Amino acid sequence: MTRTPDILCIGSVLWDVIGRSENAMRQGSDMPGRITRLPGGVALNIGMALARFGLTPALLSAVGRDAEGDELIAACTLRGLITDYVYRSDDLPTDRYMAVEGSNGLIAAIADAHSLEAAGDKILRPLEDGSLPAPYKGAVALDGNLTVELLARMAQSPLLAEADLRVAPASPGKALRLTPFLKAGRGTLYVNLEEAGLLCQASFDDSPAAARALLARGARRAVVTDGGNPATVGEGDEIITLTPPSVHVARVTGAGDTFMAAHVAAELGGAVAQSALKAALDAAALYVSGETKI
């Protein structure tokens, strides 16, 4: 019997291949380190973190019917996520993400989410065929690895018109894919300072300025992070800014997803704006310090 989800996580579900060195790195560096393969993707990272916070997330994504896909679905199930609604493709391979990190942060990354993009609106079938209630009235975490066309459709879709939409761009390279949500005034946008600048076609010195600019461009609500610098939540005329705890950075991939999941979980649990932001910053700090596992 399928469990009832607390939140839908729509977007990338893939394998993360991460190379990490304890040394500072730059372009062309060749360093000793560790290479790991873990379940990942923005939607899945958010879902796994939400599960750690006691929620029951369901995934809407595309995963191949290959050996890697079977292994990935099993790993998701083991971590407490509902995978019944995942589109399993016979002819598309399971997606992958590859990154190299040094002690000075992310050096380079490549996201191969072509199967998710090729699957297109097939991942939304559970909302269309009655498998899930529609219009969906619960919380939805959505990532920018979907195509521009599909994201634009979702920003206007009656299937999600009553949902509590939480939207993240997945990477600065995909930040502009969130433009339809700015134009529609839909959802809460979770972006970093660089992504906010791309969406606003400007540069910002700090998160409060970025949040105000996003609101001015039509965002209903904006959450802007800036690494170890203060983060801001903006809605209407209210701007709340807090500084994250100072920690040793042991990893960065997945930190933004952990922050978003902790913020969503805190708010769904009834926390007010400032408390929810503090909870998210604390969770992200614990994650980048290496003290928690995804």
Side-chain angles (χ1 to χ4, degrees):
M1 181 175 172
T2 303
R3 293 172 294 161
T4 301
D6 295 318
I7 182 170
L8 303 182
C9 297
I10 307 177
S12 57
V13 173
L14 45 71
W15 283 109
D16 274 346
V17 180
I18 312 293
R20 294 190 180 96
S21 173
E22 294 299 317
N23 303 299
M25 298 181 69
R26 56 177 176 77
Q27 184 178 356
S29 292
D30 186 345
M31 296 287 186
R34 296 285 186 184
I35 299 174
T36 59
R37 188 188 74 154
L38 294 167
V42 175
L44 178 51
N45 281 343
I46 293 169
M48 289 188 292
L50 287 166
R52 291 204 312 272
F53 296 128
L55 299 177
T56 303
L59 300 172
L60 269 66
S61 186
V63 173
R65 288 193 184 277
D66 47 15
E68 285 193 335
D70 291 342
E71 192 178 356
L72 183 56
I73 290 293
C76 293
T77 302
L78 185 66
R79 286 162 172 77
L81 283 78
I82 299 171
T83 60
D84 305 61
Y85 308 112
V86 174
Y87 172 69
R88 299 296 305 275
S89 173
D90 291 318
D91 55 355
L92 296 173
T94 298
D95 287 331
R96 289 177 291 178
Y97 170 89
M98 180 173 63
V100 175
E101 300 177 358
S103 63
N104 52 327
L106 179 67
I107 307 303
I110 295 175
D112 181 354
H114 289 87
S115 293
L116 176 64
E117 293 185 359
D121 61 4
K122 292 184 180 71
I123 68 170
L124 300 181
R125 282 179 180 171
L127 289 167
E128 298 169 338
D129 65 11
S131 300
L132 288 166
Y136 193 78
K137 298 183 180 181
V140 174
L142 175 63
D143 86 51
N145 280 305
L146 307 177
T147 63
V148 175
E149 293 76 17
L150 185 54
L151 286 167
R153 182 178 144 196
M154 294 174 76
Q156 303 284 349
S157 174
L159 296 172
L160 298 170
E162 299 179 38
D164 174 9
L165 278 179
R166 310 294 183 113
V167 193
S171 68
K174 296 175 181 176
L176 291 177
R177 296 188 184 191
L178 268 57
T179 301
F181 296 91
L182 275 180
K183 292 181 177 178
R186 291 290 322 281
T188 300
L189 305 186
Y190 290 81
V191 295
N192 61 30
L193 203 65
E194 180 183 359
E195 292 160 349
L198 290 167
L199 279 168
C200 295
Q201 299 178 343
S203 60
F204 302 110
D205 293 328
D206 54 40
S207 63
R212 289 189 180 94
L214 285 167
L215 294 173
R217 288 185 70 88
R220 187 187 70 78
R221 191 167 182 242
V223 182
V224 184
T225 57
D226 185 19
N229 299 316
T232 297
V233 176
E235 182 175 11
D237 295 327
E238 184 179 31
I239 297 291
I240 296 171
T241 301
L242 292 176
T243 301
S246 179
V247 296
H248 169 72
V249 177
R251 56 184 173 181
V252 291
T253 300
D257 306 331
T258 298
F259 169 88
M260 178 176 170
H263 189 257
V264 172
E267 292 198 326
L268 292 183
V272 297
Q274 184 160 338
S275 297
L277 179 57
K278 183 180 186 304
L281 290 171
D282 288 347
L286 197 61
Y287 176 81
V288 299
S289 71
E291 294 299 317
T292 61
K293 294 182 179 180
I294 263 194

